[in-house]
Amino acid sequence: MTAPLRLGTRGSALAIAQSGHVAEALTAATGRPVELVEVVTAGDRSTAPVHRLGIGVFVSALRDALTAREIDFAVHSYKDLPTAAAPGLHIAAVPQRQDPRDALIARDGRTLAELPPGARVGTGALRRIAQLHALGMQLEVTPIRGNVDTRLGRVLGPDADLDAVVLARAGLARLGRTDVITETLDPMLMLPAPAQGALAVECRIDDQDLVELLGVLDHAPSRAAVVAERALLATLEAGCSAPVAAYGELAEGDAGEEIYLRGAVISPDGTRDLRLSRTGTPADAAEIGKALAAELLELGADSILGQEGHAGPGTQQFGSTE
């Protein structure tokens, strides 16, 4: 019998759900059995704020396990990956992306517009903190850590201490928890993180049989959008936790399919908010991202990125852990 392929995953409920979906899809498409192997990362062990942990803390242990041949492939939340390629490793597939938008979970079924001044809103991303401040709603933004259930408990549990939290809709969907969402946020208000909602299926580049096998999971439109978004991030030389947002959408244009890419760099206190857009063909996805980043840099994006770590007024320090 063919030995099961070893799929490395973080141990959180969301990571296991994501990896489980990939494992099931691969087995269904190829007949190869897959077993999950839990790998603990530096980010899982730390209680520090996410944007202060450094780049790649949720993926380095998985990549080490791949390199050491302790696992055959790994599934990452693509937005957690450093923009630089890992030597000897290859993103063999980007499965069809989940809805990349952010979601609000608020008490009493409230929408964002219905939150009163002074409402306490929790989120773990500097990008979201910056955009919430930029709305000018006088919200008290509270950085939080923890798994999905922990964060939801801050609003919906018996000891709730927040009025709302903002999470990625994709994670809630993969856990079957979209019922708690009170509003899916319009990207015009809350632009997602680059590659949000997308997964990266990674293996060793010298394992060509596995590269080919995993390729059946690749979704070309999702890969093109993510390539554009991450090219913008890389050109800005910003990390995955920086206050940078990007959203690429594929649509039918006058001359065929095209990417519409929106990008933003927002100061942590929300007082500077640079937003631009650009279009092009999927084949030029990387160049679209690079060009849009260059335009943002011309407008002063680099000076905003130098403010990272200063979360702005109405912001408290992290008190919870994952």
Side-chain angles (χ1 to χ4, degrees), residues 13-291:
L14 177 55
I16 290 173
Q18 292 175 167
S19 297
H21 291 322
V22 170
E24 291 170 6
L26 185 64
T27 299
T30 68
R32 289 293 301 271
V34 179
E35 65 177 11
L36 301 188
V37 178
E38 185 176 331
V39 177
V40 178
T41 72
D44 297 314
R45 291 190 294 266
S46 175
T47 61
V50 173
H51 66 272
R52 294 179 185 167
L53 286 175
I55 298 171
V57 293
F58 292 113
V59 302
S60 58
L62 286 166
R63 286 179 158 175
D64 288 345
L66 261 179
T67 301
R69 301 182 181 273
E70 296 167 358
I71 58 176
D72 299 305
F73 68 112
V75 172
H76 311 283
S77 289
Y78 211 149
K79 69 177 182 179
D80 290 338
L81 289 181
T83 53
L89 302 181
H90 174 67
I91 304 299
V94 180
Q96 185 166 3
R97 189 182 199 176
Q98 280 273 4
D99 187 335
R101 294 176 295 175
D102 283 318
L104 182 80
I105 300 90
R107 293 192 197 188
D108 305 319
R110 290 180 173 178
T111 65
L112 185 62
E114 292 169 341
L115 294 176
R120 302 186 71 218
V121 181
T123 176
L126 191 57
R127 167 192 59 84
R128 295 188 186 119
I129 293 170
Q131 292 188 85
L132 286 169
H133 284 313
L135 295 174
M137 296 175 61
Q138 288 78 54
L139 301 172
E140 183 182 322
V141 186
T142 302
I144 58 174
R145 285 216 44 197
N147 59 31
V148 170
D149 285 334
T150 298
R151 297 185 192 207
L152 292 178
R154 300 286 297 272
V155 176
L156 306 176
D159 299 318
D161 62 337
L162 298 176
D163 297 294
V165 293
V166 181
L167 302 174
R169 181 182 173 88
L172 293 167
R174 290 183 176 119
L175 289 170
R177 299 299 306 275
T178 56
D179 59 300
V180 300
I181 296 173
T182 56
E183 183 182 10
T184 298
L185 299 175
D186 189 323
M188 294 297 289
L189 294 176
M190 184 73 69
L191 204 60
Q196 184 160 302
L199 300 178
V201 183
E202 188 172 50
C203 66
R204 292 180 295 276
I205 199 167
D206 61 3
D207 193 344
Q208 284 302 307
D209 289 342
L210 188 53
V211 169
E212 183 176 345
L213 188 77
L214 295 174
V216 303
L217 302 178
D218 196 58
H219 185 249
S222 297
R223 183 183 280 269
V226 167
V227 165
E229 294 166 10
R230 284 175 57 83
L232 178 144
L233 186 66
T235 305
L236 291 173
E237 297 184 347
C240 56
S241 60
V244 173
Y247 184 20
E249 297 178 275
L250 270 69
E252 199 64 31
D254 295 337
E257 197 171 44
E258 65 179 17
I259 294 178
Y260 172 52
L261 177 65
R262 282 177 279 177
V265 179
I266 311 99
S267 64
D269 63 4
T271 58
R272 297 182 65 191
D273 188 352
L274 303 179
R275 296 175 186 259
L276 295 172
S277 63
R278 195 175 184 93
T279 60
T281 67
D284 294 326
E287 296 308 313
I288 296 167
K290 292 175 184 176

